[in-house]
Amino acid sequence: MRIETSTVRVGELSAYLARPDGGSASGLLLLPMITGIGEQVRAWAGELAGRGFTALVWDVFHGASTDNTSREDLGAKLGDLRDEAALAEQTTLLDHLLGDLGCRSAGVLGWCLGGRFALLLAARDQRLSGVVAYHPTVRDPAPPNHDLDAVALSTAITAPVLVAYPEADVVVSPETFARLQTALQSRPRGATFTQHFPGAEHGFSDSSRHGTEVNAEAFALSWPQTLAFVDALKG
């Protein structure tokens, strides 16, 4: 399948677009990790486009990514992210997927900080057909810029959710993840699929962590299941 990729403007926002030539009816909004729209996220977008999705990627740091900025400097920007402003940007991109880009359905796929936002966006916007949250960064206690409680709000998600948790996550405690699981499984609508990886670390999907064998193995097991999940969401 031939795909087309480009950086696009959506109102005042910049985003990365990957889709089959001529577009498609099925969309995915991708919410990156700390890398921003770096090489790996673009590769994932291209892979999803090759499976028939229109993938639109949120520009977390408005132009900064691992292509042009160190991870340390990107990390320093995390405190500037505010929940409502970020969700407003993501909603604008979702509108674009379901509007000008011609998608009949759209899911959301996020990693780390993007995994948390995937849960928040799905709680707020029930147009989403499904949610994938890779090692979502749900901290307890929450940092000052986390205005919304992702665990409490996840009970409002009506779409199916796939969430991946690494047991050796030093950012999200097992107790916090257990509360998230309880919240997700209390929903009257929407299936919950859990991936649990003993020994794997926070951010195990990031290829920079694949020098640690358990992380590489976790991602090798997880990604095909994620692809099967999003394939099932196609409109």
Side-chain angles (χ1 to χ4, degrees):
M1 179 183 294
R2 290 177 56 85
I3 68 170
E4 55 186 42
T5 63
S6 61
T7 298
V8 297
R9 299 295 301 181
V10 182
E12 297 181 355
L13 303 176
S14 176
Y16 182 77
L17 174 66
R19 63 179 179 175
D21 279 350
S24 66
S26 301
L28 284 173
L29 178 61
L30 306 189
L31 308 181
M33 58 183 81
I34 197 172
T35 59
I37 307 179
E39 180 180 4
Q40 180 170 55
V41 173
R42 296 196 305 274
W44 281 329
E47 182 177 357
L48 291 163
R51 299 178 74 89
F53 290 97
T54 293
L56 190 63
V57 189
W58 175 47
D59 188 356
V60 184
F61 302 114
H62 298 172
S65 72
T66 45
D67 289 349
N68 52 34
T69 307
S70 71
R71 286 176 183 255
E72 292 73 20
D73 288 343
L74 292 172
K77 295 177 180 292
L78 289 177
D80 297 330
L81 282 176
R82 306 298 303 201
D83 287 346
E84 291 294 352
L87 287 168
E89 293 182 359
Q90 295 157 20
T91 300
T92 295
L93 297 182
L94 181 59
D95 291 343
H96 187 59
L97 271 173
L98 294 171
D100 292 343
L101 291 177
C103 295
R104 292 196 300 267
S105 65
V108 63
L109 170 53
W111 299 264
C112 297
L113 72 94
R116 174 177 175 269
F117 276 119
L119 296 170
L120 289 174
L121 182 64
R124 171 116 4 135
D125 197 321
Q126 296 186 354
R127 292 177 296 172
L128 288 164
S129 59
V131 185
V132 179
Y134 264 95
H135 31 74
T137 306
V138 181
R139 296 179 182 270
D140 187 11
N145 62 313
H146 286 193
D147 304 307
L148 301 175
D149 185 337
V151 172
L153 292 173
S154 67
T155 59
I157 300 172
T158 57
V161 177
L162 186 156
V163 60
Y165 181 69
E167 188 181 53
D169 195 327
V170 297
V171 177
V172 181
S173 69
E175 293 78 15
T176 299
F177 185 71
R179 288 196 299 111
L180 176 61
Q181 281 292 96
T182 298
L184 288 171
Q185 292 174 15
S186 74
R187 298 176 298 144
R189 287 181 56 196
T192 302
F193 300 85
T194 303
Q195 298 179 344
H196 180 267
F197 297 101
E201 300 168 320
H202 185 77
F204 72 82
S205 57
D206 188 340
S207 60
S208 71
R209 295 183 177 270
H210 291 177
T212 301
E213 185 176 5
V214 68
N215 292 332
E217 290 178 348
F219 183 69
L221 284 171
S222 173
W223 188 239
Q225 303 306 313
T226 298
L227 295 175
F229 178 81
V230 296
D231 281 347
L233 304 178
K234 286 180 178 175

